[in-house]
Amino acid sequence: MARVGLLTGGGDCPGLNAVIRAVVRRALADPGHSVVGFRYGWAGVLEDEALELTLESTAGILPRGGTILGTSRTNPFADGRDGLAQIRRTLETRGIDALIPIGGEDTLGAALRLHRAGIPIVGVPKTIDNDLGGTDVTFGFQTAVQIVTDAIDRLHTTAESHNRVIVVEVMGRHAGWIATHAGMAGGADAILVPERPFDIEQVCAHLRRRHERGRSFSIVVVAEGATAQSGTLQTRSDSATDAFGHSRLGGIAAMLEREIEARTGYETRETVLGHVQRGGTPVAFDRVLATRFGVAAMEAVAAGHFGVMVALRGTHIVEVDLEESLREPKLLDPALYETAELFFG
Ligand code: F6P
């Protein structure tokens, strides 16, 4: 018998509602369990803002994007703050036995600190960037890849009609998973990712070769976290940081638009897909993965398995050590990028 607290933290992601629904459905299938949803990530736990989650309140949410609980990037440990006492108080007041935080490196990083302090935690991995360790895939990623692929298909026809280079900026702070998968699916002519700092002259030389071979347009996909090789170009400007110290990315496509046009003479345009990639209904794969994660998380709580994260390994849902999963981001498989490269230009 457990009373579980659920929260969604960090950037939203298609599939969050499917996890919420699955935790609630699995919990309420057994007598005695109950689920409380905290509003706006860790903010709701700190401020004790929550609602009871029931079969009725979670009905119909499976295909809905976003999160019915709301989310935020609140860090309970920001600026030397110790949110532990406040969080303990909320959990005691509400009689909560375990927490299921659904989030990425930041939300789960805070969860790990709480676990070390003795709070029972089962993490659910979430990020459209797909860069979380411990799991082969995170939900939301396939939806983002589909959105970007559809956009590249559309950009192809307009690029070709106008003989232009189009630079498409996509999400991916540490890793180029979205850029590489969608770039491959959409037939991109160049893909720039954070794992491989680029040389702008090489990128332009590649586009020139392609155009000399008779192609009149090109599609360049760039992850927002991509950078130029040191000393070749200024690609990062100082920008505001969030409560976890991450700078706000964006702007690489604008810089590439200017540089490519100036260096090659080809008319160039940028398209920044931004939060379109995180919005809307999840594709079927993400709904299924999110549902399996939610069920597995509730079963871990019921079994008393804490300090773990549910994960996809191959085709199986497993429990992995939370601490180990957060040690390093999961970067792009070099072999995947090399396969994508075979189709450049
Ligand atoms: O959730 C990860 C992510 O989508 C990153 O790819 C991106 O840099 C960031 O979130 C954007 O965050 P925000 O919604 O706070 O602008």
Side-chain angles (χ1 to χ4, degrees), residues 10 42 73 75-76 103-111 132 242 244 246 326:
W42 291 117
R73 295 196 186 275
N75 179 356
E105 52 169 334
D106 299 328
T107 304
L108 296 184
L132 211 60
D242 65 20
F244 290 90
H246 300 305
L326 294 175

Side-chain angles (χ1 to χ4, degrees), residues 112 115-116 307 320-328:
L112 178 61
H115 162 69
R116 288 195 190 120
V320 295
D321 186 64
L322 181 59
E323 180 152 15
E324 233 168 78
S325 307
L326 294 175
R327 214 156 270 151
E328 281 179 0

Side-chain angles (χ1 to χ4, degrees), residues 66-82:
T67 159
I68 59 163
L69 294 176
T71 186
S72 74
R73 295 196 186 275
T74 303
N75 179 356
F77 302 103
D79 305 322
R81 169 190 195 172
D82 185 0

Side-chain angles (χ1 to χ4, degrees), residues 11 73 126-129 171-173 224 249 275 278:
R73 295 196 186 275
K126 169 246 52 158
T127 165
I128 66 159
D129 290 2
M171 284 190 172
R173 175 176 291 278
E224 61 182 358
L249 296 178
H275 292 83
R278 289 215 317 240

